[in-house]
Amino acid sequence: MSDRTTVRLPEDLLKRAKRKAAAEGRTLTSLIEDGLRIVVAEPRSTRAKRILPRVSKATGGSLPGIDVGDPSALQEAEDLEYVGRMKRRR
């Protein structure tokens, strides 16, 4: 049986998580559960370091579609990249 708990999350993170869950046709609970399983199962020393968005060498700026002035957009791009890496590891 599952326990209930209250988790306080930053508003922007919660909004992104809800969008992600909806896009995948799943519940927010299942998304959080899967994320926690990955983090808990991973030895702390082998966690990947934070990877910043790639920068175009041609123009010296960010790749098209990335607004470097919007921290939420940068975090969302990083989250999508992280999910891609996790899917490839399975």
Side-chain angles (χ1 to χ4, degrees), residues 54-56 59 61-67 77:
R54 295 175 294 164
V55 175
S56 170
T59 62
S62 64
L63 292 173
I66 297 177
D67 179 5

Side-chain angles (χ1 to χ4, degrees), residues 21-87:
E24 294 180 2
R26 58 196 291 195
T27 65
L28 179 61
T29 299
S30 72
L31 182 81
I32 292 171
E33 183 180 339
D34 284 355
L36 285 173
R37 287 185 193 284
I38 291 168
V39 170
V40 170
E42 209 174 85
R44 189 165 183 86
S45 62
T46 62
R47 282 192 199 157
K49 291 187 178 182
R50 185 174 184 168
I51 298 173
L52 298 175
R54 295 175 294 164
V55 175
S56 170
K57 293 178 184 172
T59 62
S62 64
L63 292 173
I66 297 177
D67 179 5
V68 295
D70 182 3
S72 294
L74 290 173
Q75 184 65 47
E76 189 166 349
E78 183 181 65
D79 290 347
L80 292 173
E81 186 176 339
Y82 177 76
V83 168
R85 286 194 318 266
M86 291 297 106
K87 285 182 179 180

